[in-house]
Amino acid sequence: MDTEYVGDDLVKTLFTHDEIQAKVEELARRIEKDYEGEELLIVGVLRGAVMIMADLARALNRHVEMDWMAVSSYGSGTKSSGVVRILKDLDTDVTGKHVLVVDEIIDSGLTLTWLTSNLNSRGPASIEIVTLLRKPEAVSMPVDVKYVGWDIPDEFVVGYGLDFNEKYRNLRDISTLAPHIYS
Ligand code: PRP
């Protein structure tokens, strides 16, 4: 969906479709270089990461295995509590594999801190994270995020997989949501 169809719900466009595609290509080149000669499993965190998984996988000019996890964070309000439940586990055995977890945003960092620790206990050859967006709170998270598209301010963003009440995920651009929608 183009932003014009929900223009009144949005404040401003942070990243256009073209800017996102260029950033994903840039991340793909770094990833290709870093994993040269290695087998690579990319793991998308449902549901928000569907768009970046699809684009990143197609931008990688090499073979790559793809799998998915769905997790649910418990907590009050909009913030994650760090307590995570697996709703859908990997179909792949990650033992001895190079794993790259793909997400579209890291907010508090709690979900991916838990997830990488969980995957680490399964004996992968390595585990790294790529995220398109990172919010300020996650900059100081204990788990290292190797690939970050953009660091963004603490604003409510939607589009390119990011939702509010399950809407706006299918916007091509990433935009800030107008306060009258979420308050
Ligand atoms: C989002 C996002 C990350 C997580 C980040 O998923 O995709 O996985 O929140 O938050 P954190 O850094 O504070 O833990 P969400 O729980 O909104 O589910 P969704 O992908 O299905 O929208």
Side-chain angles (χ1 to χ4, degrees), residues 46-48 80 103-111 163 169:
L46 293 168
R47 288 166 284 178
S80 164
D103 215 337
E104 83 291 0
I105 193 164
I106 302 181
D107 189 346
S108 67
L110 293 171
T111 304
D163 75 303
R169 283 194 203 273

Side-chain angles (χ1 to χ4, degrees), residues 1-138:
M1 176 164 62
D2 293 324
T3 51
E4 64 190 83
Y5 293 97
V6 283
D8 292 346
D9 298 358
L10 309 172
V11 178
K12 67 172 181 195
T13 301
L14 288 185
F15 307 108
T16 64
H17 171 78
D18 289 349
E19 287 168 335
I20 296 166
Q21 295 306 315
K23 181 60 79 176
V24 170
E25 289 288 340
E26 187 187 308
L27 292 169
R29 298 294 84 77
R30 283 179 58 197
I31 292 165
E32 279 167 8
K33 190 161 169 275
D34 292 351
Y35 289 93
E36 205 176 338
E38 309 281 6
E39 285 186 22
L40 177 61
L41 169 70
I42 59 173
V43 172
V45 186
L46 293 168
R47 288 166 284 178
V50 166
M51 309 296 180
I52 185 170
M53 270 290 272
D55 286 339
L56 181 66
R58 284 177 293 186
L60 288 167
N61 293 317
R62 51 157 296 154
H63 287 297
V64 68
E65 251 189 283
M66 297 169 74
D67 204 345
W68 301 89
M69 280 187 87
V71 295
S72 139
S73 318
Y74 292 108
S76 58
T78 54
K79 288 284 176 188
S80 164
S81 64
V83 181
V84 177
R85 190 165 56 112
I86 296 178
L87 301 176
K88 187 230 166 278
D89 208 340
L90 296 174
D91 296 322
T92 315
D93 180 0
V94 302
T95 312
K97 291 198 171 155
H98 293 281
V99 178
L100 181 59
V101 179
V102 181
D103 215 337
E104 83 291 0
I105 193 164
I106 302 181
D107 189 346
S108 67
L110 293 171
T111 304
L112 285 184
T113 300
W114 184 91
L115 198 60
T116 50
S117 146
N118 179 285
L119 293 176
N120 245 327
S121 69
R122 308 181 193 190
S126 71
I127 180 147
E128 300 290 354
I129 298 168
V130 54
T131 183
L132 187 64
L133 305 176
R134 180 171 62 175
K135 284 198 173 177
E137 205 182 327

